[in-house]
Amino acid sequence: GNAALRLANSDAAAATRLVDELLARLDRASEISDRITLLRALGNTGDPRILPALELALGSPSDLVRAAAAESLRLIPDGRADALIVAMLDDVSPIVRTSSVFAATNRRLDPVAPALASHARDDKDPAVRRAIVELAGQRMSELPLLLRPIVVHAAERDVDADVREIAKKFLV
């Protein structure tokens, strides 16, 4: 995956072949562990052609496969990836929701900030809220009007003391 990303500008044909091979291997993979590894490798390519495979994996019954697919959205330069990240914030599994937050860390946040704000207030899992607060706090200077309220709300009102403390550190 990383090789395809590095080759994309210098040898586009070789990068395309690598991505095609990874997609073919994913299509043939039957073991969950193999699917996860291949999804992560594909995510490292940053190639928008992998979106259909990621969309299919996001519908998997396996939380771990959905999480790997969500993480793999992070480098895809396509607005559809933002929409998928937002959609996966509603997944039943906290690991998938946390993986969606992770995917947002490498992207512009304005398309996903409203959904992050909503989940920072309402998600039942403190690990998900913590991930959102950490992301918002680390990148608050980029979009202060969208991200600072997430951190302030968490510092003042989150039900989890650890999340409140993490948020407060970003406000100092």
Side-chain angles (χ1 to χ4, degrees):
N2 287 324
L5 181 63
R6 286 192 308 270
L7 285 171
N9 291 327
S10 62
D11 190 347
T16 297
R17 284 191 303 274
L18 286 172
V19 173
D20 289 344
E21 175 57 28
L22 288 169
L23 286 167
R25 288 175 60 191
L26 177 64
D27 194 43
R28 293 188 306 266
S30 58
E31 296 293 324
I32 287 178
S33 61
D34 293 338
R35 295 185 61 73
I36 291 167
T37 299
L38 289 162
L39 286 165
R40 288 188 174 138
L42 283 163
N44 289 337
T45 71
D47 191 319
R49 295 179 307 127
I50 72 169
L51 268 173
L54 296 181
E55 287 175 307
L56 186 61
L58 289 170
S60 171
S62 167
D63 294 357
L64 297 176
V65 168
R66 292 195 314 279
E71 290 172 5
S72 296
L73 294 165
R74 73 190 187 288
L75 299 177
I76 307 299
D78 187 310
R80 291 179 299 164
D82 294 320
L84 290 169
I85 289 168
V86 168
M88 297 315 289
L89 286 170
D90 288 326
D91 194 270
V92 298
S93 170
I95 192 171
V96 175
R97 297 192 307 271
T98 303
S99 295
S100 297
V101 176
F102 170 78
T105 62
N106 292 311
R107 308 181 66 76
R108 286 182 35 241
L109 291 181
D110 48 328
V112 298
L116 291 172
S118 174
H119 286 274
R121 286 187 306 273
D122 301 331
D123 200 287
K124 294 187 184 332
D125 192 286
V128 176
R129 296 192 313 275
R130 182 174 40 253
I132 294 169
V133 168
E134 288 174 344
L135 173 59
Q138 290 164 359
R139 302 212 15 219
M140 198 165 28
S141 64
E142 295 173 32
L143 296 168
L145 295 176
L146 293 173
L147 301 178
R148 184 173 176 77
I150 293 171
V151 178
V152 169
H153 181 273
E156 294 174 353
R157 296 190 182 103
D158 198 276
V159 297
D160 186 273
D162 290 336
V163 174
R164 285 193 310 273
E165 287 306 310
I166 289 167
K168 287 175 185 175
K169 289 179 183 176
F170 286 111
L171 297 174
V172 174

